[in-house]
Amino acid sequence: MLHPPQERLVGRDGELRRLLGLLDDAGAGQPAHALVSGDAGVGKTRLVTELATRAAARGFMVLSGRCAELGDSIPYLPLADALRDGTAGPSADGPLLDALAARPVLGRLLPDRGTSPGGDGDPTGLAQQQLFGAVLGMLAELAEQRPVLLILEDLHWADRSTRDLVTFLSRVLHRERVAVVATYRTDDLHRRHPLRPVVAELLRLPSVAAIELGPLGYSDMAAHLSALAEGPLDAATLHRMVSRAEGNPYYAEELLATARGQTAGDALPTGLAALLLARVEQLSPAAQQVLRAAAVAGRRMEDDIVREASGLAAAEYEEAVRELVTHQLLVPDGDQGYAFRHALIREAIYGDLLPGERTRLHARLAELLAVEERLASVPGSAAELAHHSLASHDIPGAFTASVRAAQEAERLAAPAEAHRHYDDALALWARVSDPERLAGQDHGTLGFHSAIAAAHSGDVPRAVHQLRRLRGFLKAGGDPVLASRVHERLAYFLLEINEVAEAEQAARAAVDALAADPPRPQYARALATYAQTLMHGGDEHDGRRRAEEARAAALAAGAPWVEADALVTLGLLAERAGQPEGAIEMFGMAHLQACDAQMLGVELRAAFQLTRARLERGDIADAAKTAHEGVMRAESAGLSLAPYGLDLQYMHYLAHFADGCWDHAQELADGFGIRATTVAEARLSAMALFIDVARGLPSVAERRAWLEPFWASDSFAAYIAHGLLAEHALWRGDTATALAEVAAAIGGPRDDGYGPPVIRVAATGLAARADRARQLRAGGEDEAAQAEVEAARALIEAARDGAAYRRRPRFVLGVEGRGWLARAEAEWRRVQGDNDPEAWRTVAETFGPSFLYEAARTRWRLTEALAEAGQRDEAEREWRLAAEAADRLGAVPLRAALADLGRRARLGRQPGSDQGPGALAGLTSREHEVLRLLVAGRSNREIAAALFISPKTASVHVSNILAKLGASSRTEAAAIAHGELSHGELSGGERS
């Protein structure tokens, strides 16, 4: 809890002004984040306390919590601290209580508010993301009523889950009226401190501000001490204190406090720790005894616990605490305890304890904490008990408490802390007698839980390592269910790291470990995972058989989520077998079943596959609906960047890109941050290039700069980005860059053939080759044009190979894939000089009207082909339809290409004959077009090709221009044009 400041804030006007500016942003619906850093004692707490006071005066709800020295083992300590303070006592906030009541998962962080999770919950490792989603939902709900300021102090002591939560909030808060401010000590951040990479990652985000607090200046320090002094300070004393403190306000305050208790001429202790201990020595013995007990308890302590640990009688204890509060060493903390005024006081006292004294106090605190009622109701108690037991050399107590702390961390959706506690217990296993009785489980089960926690925290390689080792601990004739679970999870995680062959072996062992009868969910799950490994390994026949067996076993065992998962696998196998409609039916059944079973991980997997299949088949409306519902479910659970939650985000966006709802698609794409710092963000940013390129937005270049570092490690983001950057270059007429991007996307030939995604990229490359070949032919360079044809041959072969999909010969290409293949074929004909309108009509018919942008792009090329064929009326009609669509979409590059084509082919509304000033006023609109191309250095043959006229007609136009301008040569005519027209008027040449 942050207490209102007693004294005026000195020397931090600039930093406070920046933080108040962030409050302004948050109040306006632009979430803000700040990292306040500085050495211990430099004034971080004082600054954020001032900020909290100002925020509350502005109508903000202020939630504040802080980490503690034990915080790295107690999950979400600062969040729980903030929620506890906001819901305790007579000033408890009603909206906060309501928000917590609507989210029971958050109630588990608070004493007497937790609810036990039902059953095993969703067994897909999404519990932490769901808790994160609950925090996001709570903040969003509160911010609808009034802005929220969340302050998290001392992040250098934070647990892994809290660090992950801060990172999560910095990425997913987009329009909520929320400001998040975190503080940390810079002098504690050694090179391998776990907070260092988190800070570096956060500071790359545009929404995160760094507020670094340096030492105060001499005049500010003098003003600060003068304000705190009970009377005037003489200049010599003030100078000595300011010089000694070296700009550290807390050090200066302690110098002042110590000087008050000394007689004139006494020397002040050297160093801050010695200074603090000198102050302690001035206290009564009882007060010193309380401080020592409190220092072992931690920076924040409960009144009853410290009183019992101190060994003092109630009256003597109360008097000692009053003395400590008067001397500003302790401050009241809520209605049940106290806290050290500064962590440095606690550190100095703890460091001064004798070894035996320290051990005895830890043992006494462990004894006081080992009360079943407390362990069951106060989150974090088990972790504290494990810490004190280990510090007092009580190995059995530390072992038992570590197991309990791990189980509590799992309940609190903190897998990293659960893994840490499980590993602590495993390390102590051999040092205790009868560990199975103490832990309530055997060594194998404990190791299994540790591995699963590691995977759920994101450390899949660590989980794989542990499960591989764990197989050696499985005894012949031991628990077959455990053996099956170990092998099944190993197989599942091996698939995640693409170790397919070993995954298949492990999954087979998981199935073999259990009999089909009696029915068990574990057996069904083993079969489902085995089916997935077989599918990934290419054994589709056996994969289908095992998936059917998994479905039947799940039905018999009453495990509907396993049945839904098996249905998704069966749908994927149906697609590979050339049964797309059957696949959609399977995906739909799986989706409904997972929704009914409330198994979110499987629900999102099914929703993604259903959306993808519908989009590929051209059922865009249903695809958009399913994706939207999936995104809402993922966001409400905090899974927007988790597997399938991420995929549903871009599927939702792509559906609206396809159906022409571009303003909505743009809104979605704007949420895909440009400054990507993770693979998930890079993938979304790459997807945003679809609309950024199609609308010609300047953000394309910036996205490319941030995406480039991910290309070596993430082939998905690289492939999407390269293909779309090729289209961007092509719109700008830069065929060389376009072809380079296409080559980067496709790579070299593949022994097992290309897949369908190559078709679009190959078609883009063919368009670039066709543009080059056309210009070369117009310039009479037939040999060079033929070289383009030969180069294009590899691209059309790649497109056809991708459509054939040799790895899955029965696969049926979807509507969009067939449309792009038709476009590739049409561009291949254009490369060869045969720009056949029928080929482009086939492209339009294949895409159909649902893909609005692709229909408009196709009409652009069809118009060009019709103009070349002399079919002007039909060309005019197609041009107008394409122009209307481009205007409606805001497809600026396409509209510019259509305008250029319309001018050259004299389509659409054309300007009158008075086309320019001075000497050019007598030229017709067509002669203006010829003059622009003449100025660009084009020959008559090239002018003819660009304007869809014969070379003879072009020659006539050139002659007329020379006569009207009174020019004796093309060069002189070009010089006159340069003198009369602006650069912009001269640059409107051909656009291919």
Side-chain angles (χ1 to χ4, degrees):
M1 176 182 292
L2 292 171
H3 301 277
Q6 301 292 317
E7 69 283 346
R8 185 176 67 88
L9 181 66
V10 175
R12 302 297 184 195
D13 292 348
E15 293 88 347
L16 180 61
R17 194 159 43 245
R18 288 186 64 193
L19 289 169
L20 291 174
L22 295 179
L23 290 188
D24 292 338
D25 291 342
Q30 298 176 21
H33 308 263
L35 295 177
V36 179
S37 62
D39 290 348
V42 80
K44 300 181 294 297
T45 295
R46 178 64 187 85
L47 177 62
V48 297
T49 300
E50 183 73 25
L51 179 68
T53 302
R54 302 278 189 100
R58 293 185 180 192
F60 274 70
M61 173 186 288
V62 179
L63 300 173
S64 65
R66 62 174 33 144
C67 306
E69 297 87 333
L70 295 180
D72 63 345
S73 61
I74 302 177
Y76 308 113
L77 182 59
L79 175 64
D81 190 13
L83 297 179
R84 185 197 65 181
D85 287 346
T87 56
S91 61
D93 191 279
L96 177 58
L97 291 171
D98 293 342
L100 288 173
R103 298 166 179 84
V105 66
L106 295 181
R108 299 176 198 161
L109 300 175
L110 302 174
D112 303 322
R113 291 183 185 272
T115 57
S116 299
D120 292 333
D122 191 331
T124 51
L126 300 179
Q128 183 172 60
Q129 291 96 322
Q130 290 177 282
L131 183 138
F132 287 4
V135 174
L136 175 62
M138 176 194 71
L139 292 175
E141 181 179 320
L142 296 174
E144 288 177 0
Q145 302 182 49
R146 54 179 170 143
V148 177
L149 170 62
L150 175 61
I151 297 174
L152 304 174
E153 286 201 83
D154 297 328
L155 216 57
H156 52 280
W157 284 324
D159 59 290
R160 158 80 181 278
S161 293
T162 295
R163 295 194 299 269
D164 289 346
L165 175 62
V166 171
T167 301
F168 171 81
L169 291 175
S170 71
R171 299 182 186 286
V172 300
L173 287 168
H174 292 307
R175 299 174 184 83
E176 297 82 359
R177 296 189 298 164
V178 176
V180 180
V181 177
T183 71
Y184 66 93
R185 284 189 194 172
T186 50
D187 48 342
D188 270 18
L189 256 61
H190 51 79
R191 188 171 59 86
R192 300 186 65 183
H193 195 288
L195 185 62
R196 286 183 72 94
V198 175
V199 169
E201 180 180 332
L202 290 174
L203 291 181
R204 295 183 67 192
L205 300 174
S207 61
V208 179
I211 311 288
E212 298 181 23
L213 300 189
L216 286 179
Y218 188 97
S219 59
D220 289 327
M221 286 288 286
H224 181 55
L225 286 175
S226 298
L228 291 176
E230 295 173 352
L233 292 171
D234 64 83
T237 301
L238 183 60
H239 174 72
R240 186 169 66 252
M241 289 182 181
V242 171
S243 300
R244 282 276 301 278
E246 297 182 334
N248 188 298
Y250 182 67
Y251 193 179
E253 292 168 19
E254 291 303 320
L255 285 167
L256 180 62
T258 304
R260 288 172 182 156
Q262 291 185 320
T263 58
D266 287 349
L268 288 172
T270 59
L272 182 55
L275 185 68
L276 292 169
L277 292 173
R279 283 194 64 198
V280 171
E281 289 168 2
Q282 298 172 14
L283 302 170
S284 67
Q288 292 186 44
Q289 195 167 335
V290 170
L291 275 184
R292 286 190 287 270
V296 174
R299 184 176 178 185
R300 301 182 67 164
M301 70 292 295
E302 293 180 32
D303 187 58
D304 291 344
I305 295 290
V306 175
R307 180 175 60 78
E308 293 287 344
S310 70
L312 297 174
E316 190 177 11
Y317 170 78
E318 297 292 349
E319 188 62 32
V321 170
R322 187 175 299 278
E323 180 183 355
L324 293 170
V325 172
T326 301
H327 283 80
Q328 293 191 342
L329 292 168
L330 295 183
V331 294
D333 184 42
D335 56 2
Q336 293 185 342
Y338 299 90
F340 282 98
R341 178 170 172 263
H342 200 286
L344 290 172
I345 304 173
R346 185 254 168 198
E347 292 169 23
I349 296 169
Y350 187 83
D352 191 55
L353 292 173
L354 296 172
E357 184 181 25
R358 187 182 301 167
T359 299
R360 286 189 292 274
L361 281 169
H362 276 297
R364 178 59 177 145
L365 283 164
E367 181 184 348
L368 294 169
L369 291 170
V371 177
E372 185 58 36
E373 183 180 354
R374 177 188 176 86
L375 290 170
S377 62
V378 181
S381 294
E384 286 188 78
L385 177 57
H387 166 75
H388 290 299
S389 297
L390 196 60
S392 64
H393 313 303
D394 177 7
I395 302 304
F399 172 76
T400 305
S402 292
V403 174
R404 187 157 190 165
Q407 293 167 340
E408 181 180 72
E410 286 183 323
R411 186 174 66 87
L412 296 178
E417 287 64 49
H419 174 63
R420 172 180 171 172
H421 290 305
Y422 277 129
D423 265 13
D424 288 345
L426 287 168
L428 296 173
W429 183 275
R431 298 177 62 185
V432 297
S433 300
D434 200 5
E436 288 193 20
R437 180 184 62 80
L438 292 175
Q441 56 194 292
D442 60 21
H443 188 275
T445 303
L446 192 65
F448 177 74
H449 287 311
S450 178
I452 298 306
H456 290 174
S457 72
D459 194 352
V460 173
R462 171 69 176 164
V464 167
H465 172 73
Q466 284 191 271
L467 290 169
R468 280 170 172 161
R469 289 191 61 199
L470 188 55
R471 287 183 299 186
F473 288 94
L474 299 175
K475 305 171 185 174
D479 181 3
V481 173
L482 175 62
S484 180
R485 293 175 73 194
V486 167
H487 285 102
E488 185 275 330
R489 287 291 86 185
L490 176 58
Y492 185 88
F493 298 140
L494 284 166
L495 278 183
E496 286 197 20
I497 61 175
N498 206 31
E499 297 283 349
V500 178
E502 187 183 351
E504 189 176 324
Q505 295 172 5
R508 176 65 180 264
V511 173
D512 291 345
L514 288 174
D517 199 35
R520 291 187 179 98
Q522 294 86 356
Y523 179 67
R525 187 171 186 172
L527 283 166
T529 300
Y530 190 24
Q532 285 193 51
T533 64
L534 290 166
M535 178 180 68
H536 283 283
D539 190 347
E540 295 170 15
H541 179 269
D542 240 14
R544 187 175 300 104
R545 179 171 65 86
R546 292 298 189 174
E548 291 287 6
E549 289 176 4
R551 186 181 176 191
L555 188 62
W561 72 269
V562 180
E563 185 181 358
D565 205 40
L567 280 168
V568 175
T569 302
L570 285 168
L572 291 169
L573 289 165
E575 276 190 314
R576 296 186 179 196
Q579 302 164 8
E581 298 306 322
I584 289 175
E585 182 182 356
M586 292 286 187
F587 295 147
M589 291 170 58
H591 187 233
L592 288 174
Q593 196 156 316
C595 289
D596 290 343
Q598 296 186 346
M599 291 299 177
L600 188 55
V602 183
E603 178 188 335
L604 296 180
R605 182 188 180 213
F608 165 69
Q609 297 295 356
L610 181 58
T611 299
R612 177 193 56 76
R614 282 174 168 167
L615 190 58
E616 289 177 359
R617 305 252 74 74
D619 185 2
I620 299 176
D622 283 343
K625 180 175 181 293
T626 303
H628 175 71
E629 292 170 353
V631 168
M632 293 299 100
R633 286 282 286 144
E635 286 183 352
S636 68
L639 303 179
S640 56
L641 293 179
Y644 300 117
L646 171 81
D647 302 310
L648 282 165
Q649 278 197 78
Y650 68 70
M651 278 293 169
H652 182 213
Y653 152 75
L654 288 177
H656 289 304
F657 179 81
D659 68 11
C661 295
W662 275 22
D663 288 342
H664 185 39
Q666 186 71 66
E667 184 181 353
L668 296 173
D670 289 345
F672 300 166
I674 292 176
R675 298 188 178 188
T677 58
T678 65
V679 168
E681 291 175 340
R683 292 183 172 188
L684 290 178
S685 184
M687 285 290 176
L689 287 171
F690 274 98
I691 200 161
D692 287 1
V693 168
R695 280 188 158 174
L697 300 180
S699 53
V700 172
E702 191 176 0
R703 284 196 188 276
R704 180 196 176 107
W706 283 87
L707 283 169
E708 212 164 339
F710 291 93
W711 291 346
S713 58
D714 187 55
S715 58
F716 181 86
Y719 195 87
I720 296 296
H722 282 307
L724 293 168
L725 289 169
E727 294 185 26
H728 179 62
L730 198 54
W731 281 127
R732 300 168 67 188
D734 185 355
T735 56
T737 298
L739 290 169
E741 296 287 0
V742 167
I746 295 178
R750 295 174 57 108
D751 293 338
D752 55 350
Y754 293 106
V758 80
I759 303 172
R760 178 178 181 137
V761 181
T764 303
L766 284 162
R769 293 289 180 194
D771 289 350
R772 291 158 75 103
R774 181 174 181 270
Q775 291 180 5
L776 290 167
R777 286 193 192 93
E781 300 179 56
D782 293 339
E783 190 173 328
Q786 186 58 36
E788 292 294 335
V789 174
E790 295 307 316
R793 195 178 304 279
L795 290 169
I796 190 60
E797 288 174 357
R800 291 166 178 168
D801 188 45
Y805 207 180
R806 282 184 279 156
R807 280 169 282 164
R808 298 174 191 171
R810 291 181 292 175
F811 180 85
V812 176
L813 202 59
V815 171
E816 189 174 14
R818 295 198 302 274
W820 277 101
L821 179 62
R823 178 171 290 166
E825 295 289 355
E827 292 289 6
W828 169 237
R829 297 187 71 161
R830 198 164 71 90
V831 174
Q832 300 172 83
D834 179 17
N835 196 13
D836 184 3
E838 281 307 313
W840 290 106
R841 288 192 182 98
T842 300
V843 178
E845 290 168 2
T846 306
F847 272 118
S850 297
F851 292 88
L852 192 62
Y853 178 58
E854 300 310 335
R857 280 212 281 188
T858 303
R859 282 197 166 98
W860 165 52
R861 284 300 188 197
L862 175 56
T863 299
E864 181 183 62
L866 290 167
E868 289 178 5
Q871 301 177 40
R872 294 192 52 77
D873 290 344
E874 192 172 353
E876 177 78 28
R877 185 178 70 83
E878 295 295 341
W879 185 92
R880 289 189 181 280
L881 289 171
E884 288 170 6
D887 287 337
R888 187 163 66 253
L889 294 171
V892 174
L894 174 59
R895 190 62 182 87
L898 284 163
D900 174 69
L901 175 60
R903 186 174 60 246
R904 292 185 290 113
R906 309 185 79 177
L907 301 170
R909 185 175 299 167
Q910 298 299 313
S913 60
D914 186 6
Q915 293 292 312
L920 306 185
L923 300 184
T924 66
S925 60
R926 175 58 90 190
E927 287 167 350
H928 260 269
E929 294 300 326
V930 172
L931 180 59
R932 285 190 177 94
L933 294 168
L934 186 150
V935 171
R938 302 293 180 87
S939 67
N940 287 351
R941 184 173 177 180
E942 289 172 318
I943 292 171
L947 299 180
F948 307 99
I949 56 180
S950 69
K952 183 176 180 180
T953 303
S955 176
V956 171
H957 281 308
V958 171
S959 298
N960 289 340
I961 290 169
L962 295 179
K964 289 181 179 182
L965 296 182
S968 59
S969 66
R970 299 166 73 98
T971 303
E972 186 178 352
I976 293 171
H978 273 292
E980 295 285 343
L981 295 177
S982 68
H983 173 74
E985 291 174 298
L986 288 169
S987 60
E990 176 190 3
R991 187 185 188 96
S992 296

